[in-house]
Amino acid sequence: MHSALALGAPPALATLLTGEGIALFLDFDGTLVELAPRPNAISPIMKFASRCANLADRLEGRCALVSGRSIDDIERHVGPLNMAIAGSHGSDIRSANGASLGDGACPLPAEIETALRNFAAERDVDYEHKPHGGALHYRRNPSQGASAEAFARNLAQKHGWKAQSGKCVIEIVAGKSDKGSAVHTFMASSVFKGARPFFIGDDLTDEAGFAACRELGGAGVLVGTREETVAQYRLPDVSSVHTWLEI
């Protein structure tokens, strides 16, 4: 583990592009888009989809969004994305041409979703339905954070699913899926194979992506000042990510 405060900025993207082939994996919330009190309150930059598509073109297709949100949810906010993307923490992965990659995933069992919805209503936190999971958001009511975390972890363990924490959120997802598994799935495809991967993200769930890229000869880039990380580089905020990516 490294301390984020001791990390420096990554080499300029233009510099990386002049060397060996690289691949970029980009988190969404807190990395490309500023965090908001509720998941639906975000404000992506203008022409987000076309800017990301242009970036992917510069990398000859070796660029993917890897988000905890579902793919449908992201596209509701930014429009259709002409690039590779993994949603729901790697439970739903598609190539730039829309083809599914990996094993696919099953939806959250009704019993788990009902329990999460009831907890959210009783404790005044927000429930987010996902095609392949569910999340409790407590950013607007942080006093319920510890209770939400404990409830979701116990519920996931009871049903053989996995709970993972983020910034003011606890999510239940399929046990085999995380952002690291998404990186490995992309890197096994013909478009990404042989590239040096870089993962840019801000949250605890991005650590699996950082670790996967490091294992494959690349690196992680942490956004923000969170203390402990396996990332090798750091960018201070969303604006600096946009600048680094030249979008």
Side-chain angles (χ1 to χ4, degrees):
M1 283 281 186
H2 299 114
S3 168
L5 298 178
L7 303 179
L13 180 58
T15 300
L16 292 174
L17 290 176
T18 61
E20 61 188 309
I22 67 164
L24 290 182
F25 299 98
L26 309 173
D27 175 43
F28 186 72
D29 292 278
T31 298
L32 294 176
V33 178
E34 298 284 0
L35 295 173
R38 291 184 173 182
N40 288 331
I42 58 170
S43 298
I45 57 174
M46 295 291 291
K47 299 182 178 179
F48 180 96
S50 61
R51 293 185 191 198
C52 287
N54 289 339
L55 175 63
D57 285 344
R58 290 182 66 194
L59 279 94
E60 300 179 332
R62 299 185 304 274
C63 182
L65 292 187
V66 182
S67 176
R69 289 181 186 257
S70 70
I71 294 174
D72 287 346
D73 185 35
I74 292 174
E75 293 192 324
R76 276 196 296 270
H77 289 282
V78 304
L81 284 160
N82 186 25
M83 65 185 300
I85 184 170
S88 302
H89 295 284
S91 296
D92 185 16
I93 306 176
R94 76 180 192 199
S95 64
N97 65 12
S100 295
L101 299 176
D103 298 329
C106 56
L108 195 69
E111 185 177 357
I112 299 179
E113 178 154 21
T114 298
L116 290 172
R117 286 187 182 278
N118 289 342
F119 180 92
E122 293 167 2
R123 300 300 184 96
D124 192 27
V125 297
D126 297 307
Y127 174 71
E128 180 187 5
H129 167 79
K130 299 183 177 186
H132 309 300
L136 295 172
H137 294 266
Y138 50 88
R139 183 175 301 279
R140 65 180 181 83
N141 191 4
S143 66
Q144 292 298 315
S147 296
E149 295 269 346
F151 178 81
R153 291 190 183 283
N154 289 335
L155 184 64
Q157 184 177 25
K158 175 182 175 183
H159 292 276
W161 282 56
K162 179 171 70 175
Q164 53 189 21
S165 298
K167 292 181 177 176
C168 296
V169 61
I170 177 74
E171 307 182 48
I172 294 182
V173 298
K176 63 182 180 180
S177 300
D178 61 30
K179 294 186 178 182
S181 66
V183 168
H184 281 288
T185 297
F186 279 124
M187 291 296 291
S189 68
S190 59
V191 173
F192 287 83
K193 187 171 290 185
R196 184 184 178 204
F198 289 78
F199 194 110
I200 307 178
D202 71 305
D203 214 340
L204 290 172
T205 57
D206 297 313
E207 291 292 328
F210 299 159
C213 287
R214 188 169 184 174
E215 178 184 338
L216 294 168
V221 182
L222 177 66
V223 181
T225 59
R226 183 164 51 80
E227 275 297 313
E228 296 299 321
T229 182
V230 297
Q232 287 107 308
Y233 302 107
R234 183 180 73 85
L235 291 168
D237 50 31
V238 170
S239 177
S240 67
V241 174
H242 295 167
T243 299
W244 190 82
L245 293 173
E246 302 171 12
I247 61 174

